[in-house]
Amino acid sequence: MNPEFTILLFYKYVSIDNPEEVKDWQKKLCEDLGLKGRLIVAHEGINVTLEGTTENTEKYREELEKDPRFLDIHFKKSVGTGDAFRKLSVKVRPEIVSLHLEEDIDPNQITGKHLKPEELKKWYESGKEFYIIDMRNDYEYRVGHFKDSVLMPVQNFRDIPSALSHIEHLKGKTVVPVCTGGVRCEKASGLLVREGFSDVYQLDGGIVSYMEKFPTEEFKGTLYVFDKRVTMDFDSPEKHEVVGVCDKCATSTEKFANCRNKQCNKKILCCENCRLEDGTAFCGEKCKEFVLGKAPKVKKMQTAFPFVLQKVGYVVFFLLYKIFGRLTIRGQGNLEKEQGPFIFAFNHQHELDATLFPFVLPFNSKHSPFFTVAAAREKYKTFGWRGFFYGGFFFRMLGAYSVFSGQQNYAYALQTHEEILKKDHSICIFPEGKRTPDGALGPARGGLGYLVYATGAKVVPVAISGFYKLTLADFFSCKRKVTITVGTPLQFEISELATKEVFVETGERVMEEIRKMLQ
């Protein structure tokens, strides 16, 4: 720790009509003061973690409060290190924390009652019946939590709505959702209120505020933080209690490691004795085999056959869809001035969606040919006679390469497609991973986000409409109008410490763009 540096953690839910202007203002202010960290601006407010010299963080606070929208903020301060963040990131997002509710919650209208740390302490001492609901990710909980707290069974904050049945039995009880600094619980507690929980509080200032006032007491272990410190303590070493357990040998530890397979990067708890000589660790034998060269070889990529077959398919299917499907293509020329490679992300409505892939580019596009992320070959064994076309030689000649399945490892599953992108060829992918069962967009999986992380490729959202449950009768009677809308390329910046949650969130952001295009 370096007392010359301070880390500021704060948020505020407040209406912001001009988030892009606020982003530009904040970016310049932070750059002028030499601050690094993460700052998210949305129409609903601002969410910030920054580090700089103590003098400059105070100047930042003073400048921020000159805007009346940002008065009455609870700033959480802690001693910095001088390098807690690698760089400054200032972004505009749809939400300052991702909950993705169909009907959003405004914490200024509906939220849990704020409970001061001192009041919560009194509740513990008096024996009052109440229940702490931990709204953080499981790895945060594993190294530190309130005694007797209830962890929601989720890997991402946005999964909270689907996990409420886990605490259904507490609807008539006093519940206190908690998180690191309070921002997640503003909405989470509001969600509980809206779902009929009768007595909902939230810990004012989050766990960090309680630990500052009452270290080594009801909160056991250490507090996970999203910067290079990884964890932070408020107690003395002699009083500290370690609650984390090594994933490999089950001994006590609070030391995290990211899997040595950088393309996996899974976060694990790993003690010093279970690490390799260089201090790194693998999450499991499959990643170890992958890094040590025992994984399946990347399939040799063909380019000539896909190029020819895709051009032939373009002509044939274009005529068919134009005549019988009243095909409309929007934005097809959006990419000709852009530098590839691209990841074309489609919503998945029909088994024949892939026949529409060629139309994202003009016939003579410089970005041809493209390749496709296909399901594992084992899946096509259930397709009957159609399996002859899927997953085999003909499939490959069209540019479709199956994933390696069964490993629960993006780097292992998508190694062929990663190699394709690194050779400057574009790919097509369904972020949902499977066809929609009801016509609505499904949740994204993490494969798209992983490929962005591994290659830095731009993502082009593509919306397909008019194809859901299309029958031959509907098609040849010209009852449908098929529309393909090609969006503008999206450039994502994913942290070095990317996790599965971040990959999934990237996919969700792309699906949100597709959703807008379909409206």
Side-chain angles (χ1 to χ4, degrees):
M1 295 298 175
N2 188 335
E4 293 183 4
F5 289 86
T6 295
I7 293 177
L8 284 181
L9 171 67
F10 68 92
Y11 68 89
K12 187 173 184 180
Y13 282 97
V14 60
S15 178
I16 298 177
D17 296 328
N18 54 342
E20 287 290 345
E21 291 181 18
V22 172
K23 181 197 79 170
D24 294 341
W25 164 49
Q26 286 290 296
K27 184 177 181 181
K28 185 177 187 308
L29 177 59
C30 291
E31 288 175 343
D32 289 346
L33 294 172
L35 306 183
K36 296 180 181 180
R38 290 184 294 269
L39 196 152
I40 297 173
V41 185
H43 284 292
E44 67 179 9
I46 189 169
N47 185 15
V48 181
T49 310
L50 294 171
E51 181 185 46
T53 64
T54 300
E55 178 184 359
N56 284 350
T57 54
E58 184 61 24
K59 288 180 180 178
Y60 169 84
R61 186 189 64 79
E62 292 171 356
E63 287 298 318
L64 181 72
E65 291 181 333
K66 289 180 180 178
D67 188 323
R69 292 174 295 184
F70 304 121
L71 293 172
D72 302 319
I73 287 178
H74 183 176
F75 291 94
K76 277 79 71 176
K77 300 179 182 180
S78 56
V79 178
T81 62
D83 65 347
F85 296 94
R86 185 169 55 90
K87 61 183 179 180
L88 174 68
S89 172
V90 185
K91 295 185 179 297
V92 172
R93 295 277 179 83
E95 301 177 87
I96 59 175
V97 287
S98 299
L99 194 53
H100 298 307
L101 295 173
E102 289 186 11
E103 184 182 347
D104 202 9
I105 285 176
D106 180 357
N108 292 308
Q109 301 295 325
I110 179 172
T111 194
K113 293 166 281 190
H114 283 258
L115 183 70
K116 295 290 184 183
E118 294 83 358
E119 286 299 312
L120 179 58
K121 178 66 174 173
K122 290 179 182 178
W123 284 11
Y124 272 114
E125 292 175 343
S126 67
K128 176 182 173 67
E129 182 185 2
F130 65 95
Y131 298 86
I132 298 286
I133 312 297
D134 202 312
M135 295 293 181
R136 299 175 300 159
N137 302 321
D138 58 352
Y139 59 84
E140 297 176 74
Y141 181 89
R142 290 182 62 196
V143 291
H145 50 262
F146 281 101
K147 66 179 183 181
D148 302 324
S149 58
V150 178
L151 174 66
M152 295 294 282
V154 298
Q155 292 186 331
N156 301 284
F157 181 60
R158 62 178 167 274
D159 298 329
I160 291 292
S162 62
L164 291 182
S165 59
H166 183 68
I167 54 172
E168 181 77 19
H169 61 292
L170 299 178
K171 272 194 169 181
K173 305 293 185 179
T174 298
V175 295
V176 185
V178 297
C179 58
T180 306
V183 64
R184 285 177 276 188
C185 288
E186 293 277 5
K187 280 195 174 182
S189 63
L191 177 64
L192 297 186
V193 172
R194 192 170 74 184
E195 293 299 316
F197 286 75
S198 60
D199 194 24
V200 182
Y201 289 80
Q202 61 180 300
L203 180 55
D204 192 46
I207 296 170
V208 64
S209 295
Y210 194 91
M211 290 182 71
E212 285 177 344
K213 291 182 169 63
F214 307 107
T216 71
E217 299 193 24
E218 289 73 24
F219 189 91
K220 305 299 182 182
T222 190
L223 180 63
Y224 185 93
V225 292
F226 294 90
D227 57 60
K228 288 185 180 179
R229 294 174 298 171
V230 184
T231 59
M232 62 182 297
D233 300 317
F234 294 85
D235 53 3
S236 57
E238 58 272 13
K239 292 184 178 181
H240 186 69
E241 178 181 351
V242 177
V243 300
V245 175
C246 177
D247 286 321
K248 296 182 176 294
C249 69
T251 59
S252 296
T253 187
E254 293 175 338
K255 299 295 184 182
F256 281 98
N258 287 84
C259 179
R260 178 173 161 179
N261 177 3
K262 294 298 183 183
Q263 299 167 352
C264 165
N265 219 37
K266 181 179 179 182
K267 192 181 298 296
I268 60 172
L269 276 171
C270 187
C271 68
E272 296 296 335
N273 292 334
C274 291
R275 295 174 186 249
L276 303 177
E277 290 183 1
D278 61 359
T280 61
F282 290 105
C283 67
E285 288 300 315
K286 291 170 183 175
C287 269
K288 184 176 181 180
E289 290 178 1
F290 180 83
V291 171
L292 298 180
K294 297 180 181 179
K297 294 182 179 179
V298 174
K299 300 171 184 177
K300 185 178 180 181
M301 183 177 63
Q302 300 283 344
T303 57
F305 282 112
F307 182 85
V308 173
L309 291 175
Q310 286 170 23
K311 296 306 179 186
V312 172
Y314 189 107
V315 174
V316 173
F317 285 112
F318 182 82
L319 291 174
L320 282 172
Y321 287 129
K322 196 68 176 177
I323 295 170
F324 297 106
R326 297 183 292 162
L327 176 66
T328 299
I329 306 172
R330 299 169 180 159
Q332 190 185 53
N334 282 349
L335 309 176
E336 290 311 293
K337 293 183 180 180
E338 296 277 350
Q339 184 69 35
F342 303 109
I343 302 173
F344 294 102
F346 296 76
N347 58 310
H348 201 359
Q349 292 194 332
H350 196 280
E351 183 178 326
L352 296 178
D353 283 341
T355 61
L356 301 174
F357 287 177
F359 307 138
V360 299
L361 297 169
F363 180 80
N364 60 346
S365 173
K366 64 181 181 180
H367 298 302
S368 297
F370 58 83
F371 297 83
T372 302
V373 179
R377 294 184 64 179
E378 293 80 10
K379 179 178 179 179
Y380 299 119
K381 293 178 180 178
T382 64
F383 275 45
W385 64 269
R386 296 173 359 264
F388 174 78
F389 297 101
Y390 294 107
F393 176 78
F394 181 70
F395 210 45
R396 183 87 55 80
M397 291 303 97
L398 283 169
Y401 288 83
S402 296
V403 300
F404 294 114
S405 65
Q407 305 301 314
Q408 300 296 310
N409 183 314
Y410 294 125
Y412 184 95
L414 295 165
Q415 56 187 286
T416 302
H417 312 91
E418 181 182 339
E419 188 70 18
I420 288 170
L421 286 164
K422 288 181 176 178
K423 290 182 177 179
D424 287 332
H425 293 288
S426 298
I427 65 166
C428 299
I429 189 172
F430 297 117
E432 300 157 286
K434 59 182 180 180
R435 292 200 305 272
T436 173
D438 56 7
L441 295 184
R445 298 185 180 180
L448 169 62
Y450 167 74
L451 288 173
V452 173
Y453 163 74
T455 68
K458 298 176 184 177
V459 180
V460 180
V462 183
I464 299 173
S465 62
F467 226 48
Y468 176 61
K469 288 190 174 180
L470 177 67
T471 64
L472 285 175
D474 286 341
F475 181 68
F476 286 112
S477 60
C478 302
K479 290 184 178 179
R480 294 290 188 91
K481 181 177 181 180
V482 178
T483 301
I484 303 170
T485 305
V486 182
T488 54
L490 306 174
Q491 184 76 65
F492 292 97
E493 183 180 301
I494 298 184
S495 165
E496 292 177 351
L497 302 177
T499 61
K500 178 181 178 181
E501 293 78 15
V502 176
F503 299 154
V504 172
E505 181 181 353
T506 301
E508 288 289 357
R509 289 168 61 189
V510 174
M511 293 306 298
E512 182 61 31
E513 289 299 317
I514 294 175
R515 185 174 289 108
K516 292 176 183 176
M517 294 159 62
L518 289 170
Q519 291 175 350

